[in-house]
Amino acid sequence: MCAPTHSPLATRHSPLTPQIELYFDIEAQPELNLDYMLGVLVVDRTSKTETFHSLLAEKVEDEALIWQQFLELVWQYPQAPIFHFFSYEVDTVKRLAQIYQTPKEQIQPLLERFVDVYEQITQTVILPVESYALKAIARWLGFEWRDPGANGSQCIYWYDQWLATGDRTFLDSIQNYNEDDCRATRHVKDWLENFIQDEGLVGTGVD
């Protein structure tokens, strides 16, 4: 972990620690109105295991398939919170539920499990970073992506190239980037959890 240039200032706190945690990140192709990858990292603190699930639409019409796979996966862990960074994942789950007519009684309890790490960290600490984007915070905390130059726009290019060429190395690059995003989200969340404990903030703020 990188040493902070000054101590973050605690402002608020929400509890963050369960035994099984899910970390969720999405890759999308806006021009196709397509969410083509739903990545989920399952962290079981009891068994000390981590499993990354890459739910990938190899064809444009597979979005419905990976949506159903996502629902089946997350409901295997009905008590597990679903950590994500910023609002896109929640907005997308609502959109996909509407498109594929997922029953409200299946979606509403799911949405209640979502925890936005971006919201948690901006309400809890002030950090010496230029922005509160995931890459800026995670890198300040010492996390590095396997491909330092990869980003969401690059993934769109890779997916387009996959559709055009069928070269699976493009899919591999997307999956690695998405997994790293999930792990970066976990890295930030775990740091925040430790900071809260170290600063004695548990139970002192807004739950």
Side-chain angles (χ1 to χ4, degrees):
M1 180 183 298
C2 297
T5 56
H6 62 76
S7 296
L9 174 65
T11 56
R12 299 179 69 180
H13 164 64
S14 293
L16 294 173
T17 317
Q19 291 305 309
I20 296 180
E21 304 167 339
L22 308 182
Y23 294 86
F24 180 34
D25 188 70
I26 294 172
E27 305 302 332
Q29 202 333 343
E31 292 184 2
L32 299 176
N33 195 28
L34 173 70
D35 293 288
Y36 62 84
M37 182 170 177
L38 310 178
V40 181
L41 176 67
V42 179
V43 177
D44 187 331
R45 293 181 180 273
T46 302
S47 65
K48 298 181 180 179
T49 59
E50 300 179 9
T51 306
F52 180 69
H53 298 266
S54 171
L55 310 178
L56 185 62
E58 296 191 3
K59 303 186 297 292
V60 172
E61 56 268 28
D62 284 348
E63 184 184 67
L65 173 63
I66 66 169
W67 170 240
Q68 290 305 316
Q69 291 173 338
F70 170 76
L71 292 176
E72 291 170 7
L73 174 61
V74 296
W75 280 114
Q76 289 180 32
Y77 310 97
Q79 304 303 317
I82 302 170
F83 293 97
H84 60 102
F85 199 90
F86 212 59
S87 60
Y88 185 79
E89 280 69 26
V90 170
D91 294 341
T92 297
V93 165
K94 291 177 181 178
R95 185 184 75 84
L96 293 175
Q98 184 175 20
I99 290 173
Y100 299 112
Q101 300 181 332
T102 308
K104 184 177 180 181
E105 57 269 21
Q106 188 177 7
I107 292 302
Q108 191 56 42
L110 182 64
L111 290 172
E112 292 172 0
R113 293 163 51 192
F114 277 68
V115 180
D116 186 348
V117 176
Y118 170 82
E119 181 179 274
Q120 294 284 333
I121 203 163
T122 55
Q123 293 180 355
T124 305
V125 297
I126 296 172
L127 301 173
V129 292
E130 292 184 0
S131 81
Y132 278 73
L134 177 60
K135 279 191 173 63
I137 296 174
R139 282 175 169 155
W140 177 73
L141 294 173
F143 184 88
E144 289 296 338
W145 277 253
R146 279 171 281 185
D147 182 346
N151 54 45
S153 297
Q154 184 72 52
C155 284
I156 293 172
Y157 170 78
W158 285 334
Y159 189 70
D160 288 344
Q161 289 300 302
W162 153 251
L163 293 178
T165 68
D167 184 345
R168 298 195 71 87
T169 60
F170 292 112
L171 294 185
D172 294 341
S173 295
I174 294 168
Q175 290 170 316
N176 287 342
Y177 176 73
N178 184 273
E179 180 179 355
D180 286 351
D181 272 359
C182 289
R183 292 187 180 279
T185 301
R186 184 197 176 188
H187 193 82
V188 174
K189 179 264 179 189
D190 284 352
W191 178 87
L192 180 61
E193 179 181 86
N194 291 332
F195 172 78
I196 288 169
Q197 293 173 349
D198 291 346
E199 295 295 318
L201 301 177
V202 176
T204 64
V206 179
D207 293 338

